[in-house]
Amino acid sequence: MTDMPRFDVAIVGGGIAGASLAAALAPHACVVMLEAEAMPGLHATGRSAAFWSETYGGPAIQPLTTASGAALRDGGFLEPLGSLHIGRQEDAAAADAFLAEFADSAVELVPIDPASRIPGLRSEWTIGVMEPSCAYIDVAALHGHYLKSARTGGATIVTDAGIRSAVRRDGVWRIETPAGPFAATVLVNAAGAWADEVAIRCGVRPIGIRPYRRTMVQLRTDPSVPAGLPHVADIAGRFYFKPEAGGRLWLSPHDEIPTDPCDAAPEEIDVAVAIDRFEQAVDWRVAAVERRWAGLRSFALDRLPVYGFAEPGFFWCAGQGGFGIQTAPAAAAMAAALVLGQVPDVAGVDVGRYAPGRLG
């Protein structure tokens, strides 16, 4: 192994999962982060809808999100927004179930008249549940913070270094990339949509991480977006939208279209569906579609993230869905402890529920 740089930990993937873990590990181990693209965070991280919601992802994700809140607020990465979950009369059961899911949690949910917060809301939308803690999240600043912290801690970050193959012998991984070979005792698979593909290239059994496309559009509306508008989400999961700088609106049809790992692009039909659902909720006119984009979300079969060793030396840090950014501080602390052979101590989080062994 004298012909290649040697590390304690090699992290494959430089999105929010890999970057936050590199930052957490760097003060305690010799770390290299191998990013396939020319810059980290090009795919899921760079295309986030950029909000922090304790209910997003359901009760199984909420403990990680809540545990991350203090670090995100203290770091200046969150700004107040609030989220209003709305529904029609046929959605009453979904609203009741939503309230029941979080009844025993610390998440504050307040039933309100949605028309009091959304001017122009169509009359059939009579159900409203306010989630005051929802916030904007500065994704670029957070990702940049983790990359800087990783470098400051001594981590090496290598771009254009997609993994071609890796073989483990005598407790050491020999990793082949276009940027050259690397050796590491532990290989962390934080490759997002490519996680199963990376496992296969390492000779490790994949665990069923599946990527899905999510569509976003930026709208200019008439009337313009009202001051004080919260994030608005259909309680039945058909759309969400939120105000953005310059009086713009970000809108998604909340789609999850199965796809291969790729540089995702929006489909015109999905943009049209988003606008149709939006116009069924409010009487605002869509004056212009100014931008459209798509990102990838990756899930295990049970839709929970995966953190832990599936076999000696191979650590999964994958399947974060759309929740990897909002859970990054707690998830990185938990994963770093596991990589280092320590007992994680993250308040309110049951580490075992995210272990890869649950997936057989």
Side-chain angles (χ1 to χ4, degrees):
M1 296 291 180
T2 58
D3 59 333
M4 67 185 76
R6 174 75 179 268
F7 298 88
D8 299 320
V9 181
I11 299 174
V12 179
I16 198 71
S20 59
L21 182 55
L25 284 172
H28 311 287
C30 184
V31 176
V32 62
M33 190 179 79
L34 304 173
E35 165 58 45
E37 304 291 352
M39 60 181 294
L42 180 65
H43 296 289
T45 299
R47 306 178 194 190
S48 166
F51 63 88
W52 182 87
S53 166
E54 291 180 278
T55 65
Y56 199 51
I61 304 299
Q62 175 263 316
L64 283 170
T65 305
T66 300
S68 298
L72 293 171
R73 282 187 290 269
D74 293 346
F77 301 112
L78 299 184
E79 293 184 12
L81 173 62
S83 182
L84 180 51
H85 306 263
I86 64 173
R88 296 171 286 198
Q89 193 53 45
E90 60 263 35
D91 303 317
D96 290 342
F98 177 65
L99 288 166
E101 278 185 323
F102 295 97
D104 296 326
S105 74
V107 182
E108 181 184 5
L109 296 174
V110 184
I112 69 168
D113 174 7
S116 68
R117 295 296 305 271
I118 309 174
L121 184 67
R122 297 193 184 276
S123 60
E124 62 268 29
W125 295 85
T126 57
I127 296 171
V129 179
M130 193 70 194
E131 181 184 342
S133 64
C134 181
Y136 290 104
I137 184 167
D138 190 334
V139 176
L142 181 64
H143 187 230
H145 162 76
Y146 283 133
L147 293 173
K148 182 179 179 180
S149 295
R151 290 189 178 100
T152 300
T156 300
I157 298 175
V158 185
T159 56
D160 295 311
I163 188 167
R164 289 173 170 165
S165 66
V167 177
R168 188 169 186 263
R169 293 195 182 97
D170 300 323
V172 176
W173 288 97
R174 180 188 176 104
I175 306 164
E176 299 292 341
T177 81
F182 299 85
T185 305
V186 173
L187 191 155
V188 174
N189 185 357
W194 287 263
D196 266 10
E197 183 177 314
V198 164
I200 292 169
R201 293 183 183 187
C202 296
V204 172
R205 182 181 62 84
I207 58 175
I209 301 294
R210 299 180 179 178
Y212 299 84
R213 187 177 72 244
R214 167 65 52 89
T215 305
M216 295 292 298
V217 296
Q218 178 174 297
L219 305 178
R220 180 164 52 83
T221 63
D222 180 21
S224 59
V225 176
L229 183 75
H231 173 274
V232 177
D234 174 20
I235 210 157
R238 292 166 290 213
F239 62 84
Y240 59 80
F241 57 86
K242 73 183 184 85
E244 283 295 318
R248 272 37 179 187
L249 195 84
W250 281 11
L251 166 70
S252 173
H254 208 263
D255 51 341
E256 287 184 358
I257 311 299
T259 185
D260 292 329
C262 65
D263 185 4
E267 299 283 347
E268 287 301 321
I269 183 62
D270 299 320
V271 173
V273 166
I275 293 172
D276 178 64
R277 293 176 181 176
F278 173 72
E279 291 178 334
Q280 289 181 40
V282 294
D283 64 7
W284 312 344
R285 183 177 69 87
V286 174
V289 176
E290 296 184 329
R291 290 176 55 208
R292 63 198 77 195
W293 68 98
L296 297 182
R297 308 155 57 80
S298 304
F299 294 97
L301 294 177
D302 61 2
R303 297 182 68 86
L304 296 184
V306 187
Y307 300 104
F309 287 100
E311 55 186 78
F314 191 91
F315 189 93
W316 287 89
C317 180
Q320 289 88 1
F323 325 117
I325 295 165
Q326 68 177 34
T327 62
M334 178 181 68
L338 292 170
V339 169
L340 296 170
Q342 301 169 356
V343 177
D345 182 19
V346 181
V349 174
D350 176 5
V351 176
R353 76 189 311 175
Y354 309 121
R358 74 182 194 272
L359 300 170

